[in-house]
Amino acid sequence: MVTPLFGEQAKSAKHIDWEVRFLNECDQSFANRKEASQFFSTRAWEYLTEGQLDTATYRFNLAWLLDDKNSDTYWGLGVISYQQNKMPESIRLLKKGLAVADSNAVLMTDLATVELKQYKENKDAELLEDAISVLNKALQYDVTNANTFMRLSWANFSKGDYPAAWENLHKGRALDLGAVDFVYLQELREKMPDPKGFFK
């Protein structure tokens, strides 16, 4: 029960019976299944914030069962997989979320963040390219998220494009100075001094 999307395998007769009962109960308690799904995904995020990952997974699964177009279910399960250090699983689930919410810029930034972490570990150039394209797409929908610029800056840095890395770091810094990772900043300064002279 605590594997994402109930393990995505063939269901036993017992599980099907349970599902039917659960859906019937929700049909009686909520105006519609979409509303019920939102209720369970909201609870799931709360459990996730409290670090109760199994309970959060179960609630996200229930939300998914009620509405498989609720992007929060994939997003939340992707975040849980990330916290459990299951990067490929996290990327797969976050991409499923984007398939149903293809203009969610924060979700895109989360996906790119996981891809960049995975790239750091395995140096798979395709992951880096995908992360850059996802971040650029996120910026088409939202140019106010400092994290998007910071992730893009790190991706530029990884490709050796230090002027672009500085440019994106400054865009992020202008939105939220707190988003600057000072360990990364130092690495960037070692490659190229700040062209704006802001970070001396």
Side-chain angles (χ1 to χ4, degrees):
M1 286 296 198
V2 289
T3 54
L5 311 178
F6 293 117
E8 297 177 86
Q9 287 152 356
K11 297 167 182 176
S12 66
K14 190 177 167 190
H15 185 89
I16 291 168
D17 284 348
W18 169 82
E19 271 190 15
V20 170
R21 262 201 328 279
F22 169 71
L23 292 170
N24 283 338
E25 284 167 17
C26 288
D27 289 343
Q28 287 162 17
S29 307
F30 296 92
N32 53 54
R33 288 185 182 179
K34 200 170 185 158
E35 183 187 286
S37 179
Q38 280 306 132
F39 170 82
F40 283 104
S41 59
T42 302
R43 294 287 91 71
W45 283 115
E46 288 166 7
Y47 285 116
L48 176 51
T49 308
E50 291 163 10
Q52 298 185 45
L53 300 188
D54 281 356
T55 309
T57 299
Y58 183 60
R59 292 290 186 279
F60 279 125
N61 282 346
L62 295 178
W64 169 74
L65 189 58
L66 285 155
D67 177 12
D68 64 1
K69 298 285 186 285
N70 178 352
S71 62
D72 273 1
T73 61
Y74 306 106
W75 192 353
L77 291 166
V79 170
I80 291 168
S81 295
Y82 174 78
Q83 290 189 4
Q84 295 168 330
N85 216 27
K86 298 174 183 167
M87 298 303 150
E89 173 83 339
S90 176
I91 290 168
R92 189 178 71 80
L93 288 161
L94 292 170
K95 283 189 169 181
K96 276 180 174 280
L98 272 181
V100 293
D102 61 359
S103 59
N104 187 323
V106 181
L107 176 49
M108 288 174 205
T109 300
D110 276 6
L111 168 60
T113 301
V114 182
E115 289 183 324
L116 292 172
K117 186 172 167 59
Q118 179 78 343
Y119 166 76
K120 231 176 184 174
E121 289 166 16
N122 67 12
K123 294 293 177 263
D124 177 347
E126 266 183 41
L127 275 173
L128 181 60
E129 291 307 326
D130 194 61
I132 290 171
S133 120
V134 169
L135 289 165
N136 282 320
K137 190 176 177 196
L139 290 172
Q140 291 171 17
Y141 293 101
D142 180 13
V143 290
T144 64
N145 185 346
N147 281 331
T148 309
F149 287 109
M150 290 303 173
R151 300 291 178 270
L152 198 50
S153 173
W154 189 87
N156 298 143
F157 174 85
S158 300
K159 291 191 78 169
D161 187 349
Y162 307 124
W166 273 116
E167 188 186 334
N168 282 308
L169 185 136
H170 279 298
K171 285 177 182 172
R173 183 260 313 160
L175 290 164
D176 177 11
L177 191 56
V180 177
D181 173 346
F182 285 93
V183 175
Y184 162 60
L185 175 68
Q186 195 48 45
E187 289 173 2
L188 179 55
R189 285 176 65 197
E190 283 164 14
K191 297 289 184 185
M192 177 185 175
D194 180 358
K196 285 191 180 352
F198 184 87
F199 294 104
K200 297 218 168 33

